[in-house]
Amino acid sequence: MKRATLRDIAEALGITAATVSRALKGYPDISSRTKQAVLAVADQLNYAPHPLAVKLRQQEYKVIGVVVPDIMHPFFSDIVSGIVDVVEQLGYHVMLSQSNESYEKEVRVTQMLQATGIDGLLMCLSNETVTVDHLRTLREYDLPIVLFDKISLGLDVSTVVTNDFQGAYDAVTHLLQQGYTRVAHIKGPVHPENSRQRFAGYRAALADYGVPFRPEYVAECQAVTHAEGYAFAQQFLALPEPPEAIFAVTDAVAIGAIGALKEAGQRVPEDMAVIGFSNWTVCELLEPTVSSVVQSGYDIGCRASELLLREIQQLRDDQPREHRHLVLNAAVKVRQSSQRTPAITVA
Amino acid sequence: MKRATLRDIAEALGITAATVSRALKGYPDISSRTKQAVLAVADQLNYAPHPLAVKLRQQEYKVIGVVVPDIMHPFFSDIVSGIVDVVEQLGYHVMLSQSNESYEKEVRVTQMLQATGIDGLLMCLSNETVTVDHLRTLREYDLPIVLFDKISLGLDVSTVVTNDFQGAYDAVTHLLQQGYTRVAHIKGPVHPENSRQRFAGYRAALADYGVPFRPEYVAECQAVTHAEGYAFAQQFLALPEPPEAIFAVTDAVAIGAIGALKEAGQRVPEDMAVIGFSNWTVCELLEPTVSSVVQSGYDIGCRASELLLREIQQLRDDQPREHRHLVLNAAVKVRQSSQRTPAITVA
DNA sequence: CTGAAAGCGCTAACAG
DNA sequence: CTGTTAGCGCTTTCAG
């Protein structure tokens, strides 16, 4: 069945499209007789307004673009879920894409998304991304942008991040307070701000507790994978004086490390404590259960969406746009892998 | 900066918008002098065609809608990732929404998506969904639809599913061939076709191996959670003659069951074997590693997208639309939890 | 109460 | 080679 238009139903009734339009949206100044007629025909023809026509006329698309490095990654799918839930509440829709941690692809998809006419963009930068000219271009078109998780400081946009510094600081403090002094860190790549922050939190905690920083206790991931955690844990064990505890930049890395430790006959946490970051669901299922720093992806998605929708509204109202920088707290969730005197498992 | 239009650049040059349009799309019949001029001004004004105007004119949106029960669920985020990768290759975009396993919300979001003017819909039904009138309505608008994973038989649309019957059959066969005869099944809810199929595969395997079906060895989940797996495993253990093996409808359920078994002092797989379905990443990380039936969400997303894009093209070309029904094979991945003589762990 | 007309921004057929 | 005209489908003054 061909899509019915206002004119179709107008011609069927021998009236004009304008009248039909008004009848359908319940304008007060319309005779109830023609209104009935219009409604009847509309219903019979299965009429629905053509969305593109409406949006073109109204000059509002009600769609926001979302770019994450990897849709399959649980942290990002949590974020996307939060975004969808929040924006749909206000009648917006989400157009989703992924960069696969490639700078080149990130540039391509943001441009493609922009070309669809989105009202705003929510984005997490790829690990490869160092320059943000592709986003500057978008801002010249007055496109509201909110960055989350992996953000850029060289851009005047709103941001939402976890307090990586504080989360890391608290995680390492938790280890130090239990008497572990030789604490290692498997860090993330150089560029992303959040892996720098976690590293900074690690160093700050050591400093505050008077523990000397030892370069051989720091390893740096490229891809931030389970396999790297595994390899670096082995590397630590091979040191003349191995560490007693590891703070890993993510749970995947932490879990990989635990795997290597167990294979090497080490007991976790008795011989070596391990704590990760992100609090994946699996942390509760493993043996030992894995301590981690809780950051809610869903919340990040919600907060970022709220900021973006606010800016879109401000733009529409010709109000000055104000950028905000949210830093969400992270909480240490202690489980078996980092607890010297194993306690009762908390469900 | 206000968005530049064709007219802006036309007026700046004292020519007409049509000429500008042609110049920009490199039509052959245009003087290279005006072409240069147009390009220069366009560039300077940061011109980009208004997507909605183009699409309205062209009567093509190049957007497909996707509805999954739960964006955060790894199986679905895998599927979404596959969809995005495939459709973007052809210049399409993905508008994403979720039903949260609620029939009511499913109806609402599909209607909202349809109202945005999408060219097609990819969807997995919620567990609650039994009637599909909301999709019938869409089909009256000639909207191409492809259902995947949780599908409905009462609708004339293309479908993509895992061969749940065969996967279940093979999983149970794998248990039976090792000599386990008292094989229990924790099944999914009644409605979804795939949990029925898994149940049917379970029964068929028992029948083919001459093992009597025992109703007390079947438990039925509502929410298909870790907690339910846990509870039902306890329930099985309490039977006068407990089973020796459990085939669980999903990995979450299997993992919950293993948790209960271990707590009850049972050894897995020596005392009780367990196998799940979906092959989550965590299956490799747990102890024992968890056997499962492999179904690639990413592939399902890719295949479903291909079918949908084909139908969209057929619709555009006024060709007859043909629906296909893909059934993707599932392979049993044997790990420790279901293997009587523990073998070498395969990475 | 309803019709006529203009226009959102772009494209395409037809002239010239 | 370029301008004119018409129209995608809808909304919204302005008349009447």
Side-chain angles (χ1 to χ4, degrees), chain A residues 246-292:
Chain A
I246 301 175
F247 163 52
V249 68
T250 68
D251 288 328
V253 174
I255 292 166
I258 291 174
L261 296 174
K262 283 167 83 173
E263 263 185 47
Q266 299 276 308
R267 291 165 308 158
V268 177
E270 293 80 357
D271 300 324
M272 180 110 61
V274 178
I275 183 165
F277 205 112
S278 273
N279 195 37
W280 286 6
T281 326
V282 300
C283 291
E284 298 232 321
L285 304 175
L286 295 171
E287 214 163 291
T289 55
V290 181
S291 299
S292 190

Side-chain angles (χ1 to χ4, degrees), chain A residues 8 17 69 86 89 108 123 129 208 217 265 301 310 326 342-343:
Chain A
D8 293 337
V86 168
Q89 214 107 38
R108 204 168 63 242
M123 167 152 171
T129 303
D208 286 0
Y217 283 175
R310 220 177 97 267
L326 296 188

Side-chain angles (χ1 to χ4, degrees), chain B residues 93-111:
Chain B
H93 285 273
V94 168
M95 222 168 232
L96 181 65
S97 193
Q98 59 187 337
S99 65
N100 298 118
E101 298 286 12
S102 148
Y103 170 67
E104 204 194 332
K105 186 162 184 210
E106 175 177 304
V107 173
R108 203 168 62 240
V109 299
T110 49
Q111 283 170 351

Side-chain angles (χ1 to χ4, degrees), chain B residues 5-6 18 21-22 27 47 49-50 57:
Chain B
T5 74
L6 279 188
S21 172
R22 282 176 292 217
Y27 270 47
Y47 172 81
H50 189 123
R57 185 65 233 252

Side-chain angles (χ1 to χ4, degrees), chain B residues 12 22 69 75 114-115 118 137 214 232 251 270 284:
Chain B
R22 282 176 292 217
F75 178 60
Q114 205 262 344
I118 51 174
T137 317
R214 297 170 61 164
F232 287 133
D251 288 329
E270 294 81 357
E284 298 233 320

